[in-house]
Amino acid sequence: MKVEISRRRFLQGSVALSIASGTALSSSTILASSKEKPQVALMKKVPTICEMCVNKCAAIAHVHNGVVTKLDPNPYFPKSRNMLCARGAAGIHALYDPDRLKYPLIRTGERGDGKYRRATWEEANEYIKDKLVKILEEEKDNRSCIGYCAGEGLAEHTFKTFMSDKFGSSNFLNHSTICLQTAVSGYTLTIGGYGQADLENAKYVIMAGANRAEAILTPDTMDMFKRTRGRGMKLVVVDPRFTNTAMHADTYVPIRPGTDLAFVLALTYVAIIDQVYNRSYVAKNFVDFDKYKKHIIESEYTPEWAEKITGVPAATICKIAHDFMAAAPQAVYYQGRRTTWSKNDFQLRRAMALFTALGGGIDVKGGIVFGKKLPLGEHTTTAPMYANAKPRIDKNLAAVVGATGTWVGWRNMVEEGKSPYPIRGMFVYKQNPMLSVPNSAKTRTMFEKMDLVVVIDTMPSDTAMLADVILPECTYLEREDPVQSFAGIEPSIAVREKVIEPMYESKPVNEIMRGLAQKLSKPLWEITKKYDEDVQEELEDSDEAEFYEENGFDLAEPFMHDQEETNKHMFVEKYGEEAWGVLREKGVFYPNMLTYFKKVNNNTYEYYPKDKKFYSVLKLEEEYDPVAFLHDICVNPVDVADLKRSFNTPNKKVECFLGSMAAKGVDPMPVWRDEEYVNVPVGKFKFITGRHAQFTQNATQNNIMLLELMRENYLWINDKEAEALNIGFGDTVEVTSSIGQVRIKAYPTPKIVPQSVFYIHGFGAKSEGLTFAHRNGASDNEIIEDTIEPVHGCANMHETLVSIRRV
Amino acid sequence: MNYAMALEYQNCINCKACEVACKEENGVQLGADKQRIWIGVVEGTIFGKPFANLYPSQCNHCIDAPCVSVCPTNASHFAQGGIVKVDAHKCILCKGCMEACPYDARFVDDTMVAVDKCTFCDHRSLVEGGTTACQATCPTKVRTFGDLDDENSDIVKLLKTKRFFFQKEYTGTLPKLFYILPDDEAYAKQSVSHNTIIHTWEDIKPMYDEARTRRSKEWRR
């Protein structure tokens, strides 16, 4: 008699196995053990860290019979304050997405047609090795001929360690230049750090463009919306759109896109002319303030001047400047975590930082604070030196091109054939440049030109469809990731533990890198020996095997340890075995956690006692006990702000004038330049993009639970303009820019300023592998022009003009 | 035990975490019209300026629940602590309860072939220190679930210090979603209508206690 195993029995068997023995599934082991009774309880709770966006909230996964049934917030983590947003709660559907990449795939058709064959890991690695050997042979061991990019995440560094430290390519790209690099850099060069706005205590907050209700950031979102609407925090929202954040504002200020700099400069003008800024603070803590003051006054950045540019009434600007300074130092011009908008973005962020500093709201409770970071041990590796690896190709495209490059600039060089040496291939980890980098058509051409494209991902994204080899990573619920320390007012360490074993043939990136490195080490070493004169010279008087070993040419070495083992090593070194036990059990650790942590009620938890929080970190020159001083409520906060501080900038002060930037052709002080502003001609619209709270960029686009909340994106258009164009709700419109055209449904609304149109980023996937996301709405990067700003080469997301036509 | 929910609706940012957590926790059928919990959005313009108010909502678990009264098969019933539930196996899908409900809090679950609704997560919220999935997951902590009979419960402690109102109080069903009015007068005026009756714990308690005593005979244990 033939014995058949039903699907139900198959699942029961697999559950028993994955929990009881923890071994990988294979049909033979299931057959062997399906007769045995499961020996352990089948319910468990595992602490993990969410990866549905970049915030990394702590979660508890409920596992029932080997199936993840629920993700609940983990109350122990101070950064996420016992919450999981819609995306976090829907993480289960990332894990059980039917479209997930299940096994390695090798392309059989043309790039983009989606034809792949199933391969083993061995075959896939072999394929990559053959191509790489051929390419590196032709490029004479110039490792930089292979570019690589990675999306943000706890395991990003693991991938980077392989590509940068071990493989040796200098051409790295990540989210920075299509994200917040100008903001981070503008604040860092001005006040010494990007910092964190203390929204639990700030009394006056200007939020310009930032949208904390729809682009959730922890702990800012949770802290601020309990205090808006007459409950302690005055909120001014400056935005071309009436967002869910604007809904909470005491004052909503609609503004023309691209004119924020004029707005801030006018605020600064008012503060200076009316002498409402904190003069003793400025005297003690600013350098070159006289130059800045002179510049602001002589340039005549008056509110009346700004009104013409921004559309914000001069009286409103005056009132905001006065109210802000009256509340200072508990007043913040919120840094935001925004993409670069326009060419002046770096100057905008500098002006914002300087305006906050004028009130003294830096490194003080209720202002921008820098917090503390708990140390972790180190995990080191030896990076081999490759004499023929060339520097990155895009370093001259902007004044300061960092180690993460300029995505748009780099892509354009490769696509237009302007690279000084050929870029022959690309490794893509957890990023989807086809949807995330402006001008998708160019990104596509770039990939089509390459000889080897490898994509490591969990989903068959639009970018994966252009790959030669697709390697399936497991989702965040199926792996342990590097332990991480989270800086802040209430610092802590958290770890993502593996909740269930990886499904299908997917693997964590650590193991993917291990397998690939083991395959590549020796063949690539042969190429290095052949072309690398430094190595040849060294080898003349040393033993090859020893040299290979000592100089890190064994590429697999950093990936040989199990991630949990590495984490334990990094953690126990600093905090000991007992603390390790706490971290594994709770998922979170900070010194004294078990005594500090208190549940006040189901909604409120206390992580640190009030006097143990890290509001101020910088060394103050005057002698006093900073802890006692800063937490004594009898002390006037303005006096605290006044104290002379040591900023983490070159002059240890707030920097008004950046001489080093002037040498690179960048304005040393924020300047408004009419010629840089993109005017909107009659009949055209400026296209702006943004986020919302139900999807993370394009990473969650196929999540069926989130698609319940929003099926597709809509074009926001001012209702009066829509009426004139005879466009009604739900009508399909054609949006055309100089580089592309999309069709999308319209949403006429009074919630957007005239001459601007908007739709949410992250929709419009074309990959047929994405059953649910396929062709929902439109992708913004099909129409956003590929220009970059001059300081860091960041993509200008809000400078594209479009025309709209009803179809 | 008399379970209820207070909502600091001023905190709501319409992120819909509650809706997803509810669906995941309770296995609610997928579909845009299948919701145990939702956010009511009221938006428009005043003198050309946009405004919006959010009213997070779900079943009110009314003390005088009309959905229970109209049910011909006793499928709709009061469970422990006055939580209004549906026995799926008794439901004949007459949909009388859906008609009777002033809040449109019920829908047909096609997989169970029965009417489905919010249960206040009684499988997880009634244990010591437990709460509903929506309260637990909420980023801005809009909700406070608790027992109106217990003077020391989170909800009673909160209600004693605040003013509040109910949605559609005029239907007389004695709903148990308490909308906490902002302390700030200007904001309070912005989110309620002229006809909204504002309550305090002292004024509402006798009426709710009386009704509870009357109807709790029907509560199952």
Side-chain angles (χ1 to χ4, degrees), chain A residues 139-154:
Chain A
E139 300 302 329
K140 302 194 168 45
D141 205 34
N142 173 16
R143 302 296 177 120
S144 301
C145 71
I146 304 293
Y148 64 105
C149 66
E152 201 278 345
L154 289 177

Side-chain angles (χ1 to χ4, degrees), chain A residues 4 27 325 719:
Chain A
E4 277 189 12
S27 55
M325 289 303 165
D719 53 351

Side-chain angles (χ1 to χ4, degrees), chain A residues 382-408:
Chain A
T382 313
M385 303 283 283
Y386 300 103
N388 297 347
K390 297 205 165 72
R392 56 180 316 127
I393 59 171
D394 51 358
K395 60 185 191 309
N396 296 326
L397 292 180
V400 184
V401 174
T404 57
T406 146
W407 231 123
V408 168

Side-chain angles (χ1 to χ4, degrees), chain A residues 754-765:
Chain A
Q755 291 197 302
S756 302
V757 289
F758 161 87
Y759 58 79
I760 284 162
H761 170 74
F763 284 80

Side-chain angles (χ1 to χ4, degrees), chain A residues 173-453:
Chain A
L173 298 159
N174 76 355
H175 64 96
S176 305
T177 55
I178 45 175
C179 191
L180 75 174
Q181 185 159 343
T182 44
V184 171
S185 150
Y187 272 82
T188 304
L189 291 175
T190 309
I191 59 170
Y194 178 66
Q196 175 194 341
D198 176 18
L199 299 184
E200 226 177 0
N201 296 295
K203 290 179 186 154
Y204 196 95
V205 176
I206 302 176
M207 224 169 236
N211 186 1
R212 280 295 81 90
E214 294 176 84
I216 291 173
L217 179 70
T218 61
D220 300 20
T221 299
M222 292 90 80
D223 287 347
M224 72 176 282
F225 293 109
K226 294 173 193 159
R227 302 186 58 239
T228 52
R229 296 191 167 213
R231 293 174 296 177
M233 179 201 281
K234 285 275 182 200
L235 178 66
V236 175
V237 170
V238 183
D239 202 305
R241 289 194 302 132
F242 185 78
T243 59
N244 285 353
T245 307
M247 201 178 76
H248 280 262
D250 296 273
T251 311
Y252 164 59
V253 182
I255 190 168
R256 291 186 191 121
T259 65
D260 282 56
L261 178 58
F263 175 73
V264 189
L265 290 173
L267 288 179
T268 309
Y269 181 90
V270 174
I272 290 176
I273 286 283
D274 295 353
Q275 301 213 0
V276 288
Y277 66 96
N278 188 331
R279 277 171 285 164
S280 55
Y281 178 87
V282 169
K284 284 186 182 139
N285 296 295
F286 274 50
V287 61
D288 290 328
F289 178 68
D290 290 344
K291 280 187 197 166
Y292 192 50
K293 185 177 173 182
K294 187 163 171 272
H295 160 65
I296 295 285
I297 295 171
E298 286 182 357
S299 304
E300 295 183 63
Y301 292 140
T302 64
E304 292 71 25
W305 163 83
E307 177 174 340
K308 289 192 201 99
I309 296 171
T310 60
V312 181
T316 306
I317 296 176
C318 286
K319 184 172 177 355
I320 291 171
H322 279 265
D323 289 352
F324 184 96
M325 289 303 165
Q330 272 76 49
V332 175
Y333 199 114
Y334 188 73
Q335 308 100 304
R337 279 187 75 84
R338 229 354 183 112
T339 50
T340 296
W341 296 327
S342 45
K343 284 192 195 70
N344 61 25
D345 209 85
F346 174 77
Q347 302 298 352
L348 165 64
R349 309 301 164 172
R350 288 247 302 133
M352 287 158 59
L354 285 168
F355 184 70
T356 304
L358 282 178
I362 313 281
D363 188 37
V364 65
K365 190 173 173 179
I368 293 174
V369 295
F370 300 103
K372 181 189 162 80
K373 190 170 187 177
L374 300 171
L376 279 172
E378 281 182 7
H379 180 58
T380 53
T381 183
T382 313
M385 303 283 283
Y386 300 103
N388 297 347
K390 297 205 165 72
R392 56 180 316 127
I393 59 171
D394 51 358
K395 60 185 191 309
N396 296 326
L397 292 180
V400 184
V401 174
T404 57
T406 146
W407 231 123
V408 168
W410 191 92
R411 192 271 323 274
N412 286 359
M413 284 181 86
V414 177
E415 193 262 345
E416 292 160 12
K418 290 180 181 159
S419 170
Y421 52 86
I423 299 295
R424 302 282 303 271
M426 194 147 188
F427 279 69
V428 181
Y429 170 57
K430 198 176 167 278
Q431 203 176 28
N432 185 8
M434 278 302 290
L435 287 194
S436 58
V437 180
N439 202 336
S440 306
K442 281 193 177 177
T443 308
R444 187 189 178 92
T445 318
M446 175 190 77
F447 282 126
E448 280 171 351
K449 284 185 164 184
M450 289 178 171
D451 298 309
L452 174 66
V453 179

Side-chain angles (χ1 to χ4, degrees), chain A residues 455-485:
Chain A
V455 168
I456 303 167
D457 209 329
T458 61
M459 297 296 293
S461 67
D462 284 26
T463 304
M465 289 299 104
L466 294 170
D468 299 298
V469 183
I470 303 175
L471 304 176
E473 191 198 14
C474 59
T475 66
Y476 68 101
L477 293 168
E478 303 159 273
R479 61 176 199 247
E480 170 120 356
D481 268 341
V483 61
Q484 183 149 329
S485 176

